[in-house]
Amino acid sequence: MRVKEDQNFRNVYWILDGKKQLATRNLTPGVRAYDETLKEIQGVEYRIWNPKRSKLAAAIHNGLRNFPFKRGSKVLYLGIASGTTASHISDVIGESGIIFGVEVAHWVIRDLLKLAEFRKNIIPILESARRPQNYSWLVTEVDIVYEDVAQPDQVDILIRNSDLFLRSGGVAMIAVKASSIDVTLPPKRIYRRVEEEVLGTGRYELLETLDLSPYDPKHAMIVFKRR
Amino acid sequence: MRLFVAMQPYGILVLDEKGSIVDKFPFPKDAKAISDIVGGGSSLREILRELISRIRADEIVVNDAALKGILADMGINATLSPEERVFLEVRRSPLRYASQLWGDLKQKEYLYLLNEIGILLTKSKVKERLSSLDQQIIKAVDFVDHSNKALNIIAPTIREWYSVHFPELDELLEDHYEFIKLVSIEPNRKKMREDILRSVGFSERMAEKIIESSRNSMGAELSDSDLEAIRNIASSWINLYEAKRGMELYIEELMRRAAPNLSAVVHPLVGARLIAIAGSLERLANLPASSIQILGAHRAIFMHLTKGTKPPKHGVIFQAKEVRNSPKSLRGKIARLLATKIAIAAKVDVYGGGKYVGDELRREIDEKIRKYMEAVRSEG
């Protein structure tokens, strides 16, 4: 079993064990964030990052070029749910980083609370991402807005939050679920529409659009940069 | 002058257009105190009242919905606009502004504080939402109970009335729903055909039986308008019945969310009844098992206390299939067992912070009941 850091992305690892598995270095050794597999290699504990469980992991597997998370990054995570993906981001950004995690459903946020008790870089916020005026007192300016909310108005939610919280030069990532925007259109048309809607504000530029199949069919990760 | 009132984790700032601090109110440097102020509202109200009395502004802009609400209550019109440049500046340099209220502050210290505030506020909100969820459940249980009462009162009326036309059916179909469903679809006994009966859901044998007795019926002939009148109330009955069924499914769904542990121990509908009688999930969680066992047996317990009759062995808990379907000699014992597990499950649902022990409790119940049954059998 060998481990090597990703060529382009710091703090993201590939564990080579017959197959190639994505992993992050556990910020809280001995403590699982969900039911992920832990692997110890040369005294370091890694957490396997499953592309079927996390759209960000799926994006990395599919050749994502823009991975803005690094040590000390400040992140606003819209639709953080129970924190599966966020726990890996938490590993990557380390103790000096911070994730403001917004989730509206109180029954999934319970798991996030458990996570936040161990991972001090996660700030749980039980609010609707549609109403940033309810949490802007708590959130600071961020380097990254990451959104995974699967709502028909998810693009609007992304823009409003990025306008408020994203620093100039910061990155906005949106996991688009085509079927929750419009089931009648082919996914590619929807991705195009999302791009146009964000670019139409004149405040963002498109970095890349990445299909997430086969891990998440009819999903894409679209990445923008704030001017 | 246009002034900007910014709520921040470290306190409230009043700023001018250029972002200079005009006035301020520092919060105590303690996560619990901060989340109490922000989450509770009443002390926030006092703080705002004091700040507002000190400043002179032609126009007030705020960064938070709660601030706007409180000011509106005080008769002050404020604009809610967190996107104002001044607020962006405050968010950009949290440590610089915080240190003006708290003195020097390290990034890590600030981060830990935010983490704690987030956890505390979220916990209290989860609690709030759960308590509102169980109020929904109570209303829904009320509807189910009242519907049942109405359905049971009206059903015999429909049966009796229809028996004028087709008296034999009363004996053939004991189940109210089956009987009335048929009447609502085809009230004329002469028009009953096998395909209609099969579409209602009767077996081939039952359909034949019904048709046979409809042909030899001694019932009176009724006019179309008479039959239509009966069909109308039958349809209304079916509508109410279906609304009640839908509500029961809705309760089950709410229960699995609000009380997953309790729902694993007893059928969600029984759990919902317990919550309804206790008044809330939290109150149920604070009851001793002995009270839960006889919840819903008010009259019996009162008779016991005043007239010295035997104490009741079970209240609503009797509706749990484990109690209802057991030999009579075991029911009290099983009711007590269930009550203890319900007490634990409700406590975990309210105070367990999302813990799930439902399957474990369920296993313990099944195991014990199996032992009770074996003991009874071996005694013969």
Side-chain angles (χ1 to χ4, degrees), chain B residues 133 136 140 245-255:
Chain B
L133 202 58
Q136 302 272 87
R245 274 300 296 150
M247 193 58 75
E248 284 172 342
L249 296 174
Y250 176 62
I251 292 172
E252 286 188 43
E253 185 196 314
L254 288 184
M255 280 295 291

Side-chain angles (χ1 to χ4, degrees), chain A residues 16-55:
Chain A
L16 310 164
D17 179 10
K19 55 197 179 223
K20 250 177 106 178
Q21 284 182 303
L22 195 64
T24 54
R25 204 174 154 153
N26 196 353
L27 185 68
T28 58
V31 183
R32 269 193 182 76
Y34 45 107
D35 55 0
E36 75 278 26
T37 310
L38 300 180
K39 292 235 157 113
E40 200 184 307
I41 303 168
Q42 291 160 358
V44 179
E45 192 174 279
Y46 296 90
R47 300 169 49 236
I48 301 296
W49 193 0
N50 184 344
K52 285 182 186 148
R53 298 282 299 269
S54 163
K55 295 183 193 88

Side-chain angles (χ1 to χ4, degrees), chain B residues 36-296:
Chain B
D36 281 350
I37 293 172
V38 176
S42 69
S43 46
L44 190 58
R45 197 172 299 264
E46 288 314 304
I47 292 166
L48 270 182
R49 194 185 299 280
E50 200 188 313
L51 263 180
I52 292 295
S53 71
R54 293 207 298 248
I55 59 172
R56 305 184 64 81
D58 309 315
E59 194 193 337
I60 293 176
V61 188
V62 296
N63 72 334
D64 181 87
L67 292 188
K68 183 180 158 74
I70 294 172
L71 288 175
D73 283 349
M74 288 159 56
I76 295 164
N77 201 359
T79 317
L80 173 62
S81 178
E83 60 269 25
E84 285 284 344
R85 182 176 278 285
V86 174
F87 296 136
L88 293 177
E89 196 50 51
V90 171
R91 283 198 290 274
R92 179 168 301 146
S93 326
L95 288 187
R96 187 155 66 81
Y97 281 94
S99 64
Q100 302 213 33
L101 275 67
W102 281 352
D104 260 351
L105 190 68
K106 290 206 174 61
Q107 159 87 14
K108 197 157 192 176
E109 200 183 345
Y110 187 62
L111 203 150
Y112 270 47
L113 203 77
L114 291 185
N115 169 271
E116 241 182 291
I117 294 171
I119 290 174
L120 286 168
L121 275 177
T122 302
K123 275 189 179 164
S124 74
K125 276 193 200 161
V126 168
K127 203 168 162 182
E128 219 173 89
R129 295 227 200 148
L130 282 182
S131 57
S132 66
L133 202 58
D134 64 19
Q135 294 313 304
Q136 302 272 87
I137 291 169
I138 291 172
K139 297 285 172 285
V141 168
D142 260 7
F143 174 78
V144 169
D145 286 346
H146 287 138
S147 306
N148 272 332
K149 226 176 245 173
L151 292 167
N152 285 327
I153 290 172
I154 300 168
T157 313
I158 299 175
R159 294 184 84 112
E160 244 172 81
W161 189 355
Y162 188 65
S163 291
V164 175
H165 176 58
F166 187 2
E168 292 78 3
L169 192 65
D170 194 45
E171 283 222 13
L172 281 174
L173 297 176
E174 244 175 68
D175 182 47
H176 286 337
Y177 180 79
E178 284 181 355
F179 186 102
I180 298 172
K181 183 84 187 176
L182 175 56
V183 176
S184 77
I185 290 173
E186 183 47 79
N188 192 338
R189 71 172 142 79
K190 287 187 175 153
K191 288 188 185 159
M192 282 176 188
R193 292 195 320 266
E194 176 151 354
D195 55 341
I196 295 175
L197 293 164
R198 295 301 301 271
S199 76
V200 181
F202 293 106
S203 65
E204 200 182 320
R205 225 172 56 109
M206 186 48 102
E208 278 170 17
K209 257 189 179 170
I210 293 172
I211 288 171
E212 202 199 322
S213 45
S214 75
R215 293 215 180 97
N216 310 320
S217 175
M218 53 185 180
E221 303 272 3
L222 290 184
S223 72
D224 281 349
S225 63
D226 291 334
L227 289 172
E228 195 51 36
I230 299 178
R231 190 226 289 271
N232 268 337
I233 55 166
S235 304
S236 301
W237 192 95
I238 293 292
N239 281 342
L240 181 58
Y241 182 90
E242 262 147 20
K244 185 207 75 167
R245 274 300 296 150
M247 193 58 75
E248 284 172 342
L249 296 174
Y250 176 62
I251 292 172
E252 286 188 43
E253 185 196 314
L254 288 184
M255 280 295 291
R256 294 215 164 82
R257 256 159 49 189
N261 289 287
L262 180 57
S263 302
V265 171
V266 280
H267 191 282
L269 281 174
V270 180
R273 286 232 153 71
L274 290 170
I275 292 174
I277 297 169
S280 72
L281 178 57
E282 194 166 355
R283 276 159 81 175
L284 180 66
N286 287 327
L287 286 180
S290 54
S291 302
I292 293 174
Q293 189 185 340
I294 52 165
L295 220 49

Side-chain angles (χ1 to χ4, degrees), chain A residues 158-216:
Chain A
L158 180 84
I159 294 171
R160 286 178 54 207
N161 278 276
S162 301
D163 281 354
L164 274 184
F165 301 111
L166 190 59
R167 72 166 162 82
S168 148
V171 172
M173 304 180 88
I174 178 170
V176 176
K177 181 180 181 182
S179 59
S180 63
I181 292 183
D182 189 338
V183 279
T184 63
L185 294 177
K188 283 234 164 67
R189 286 264 302 277
I190 290 170
Y191 306 153
R192 188 84 203 102
R193 216 165 76 184
V194 171
E195 293 168 6
E196 280 164 4
E197 203 174 322
V198 176
L199 297 178
T201 64
R203 294 186 288 275
Y204 300 88
E205 46 192 280
L206 180 67
L207 293 181
E208 67 178 301
T209 297
L210 192 71
D211 202 290
L212 297 185
S213 51
Y215 304 108
D216 274 298

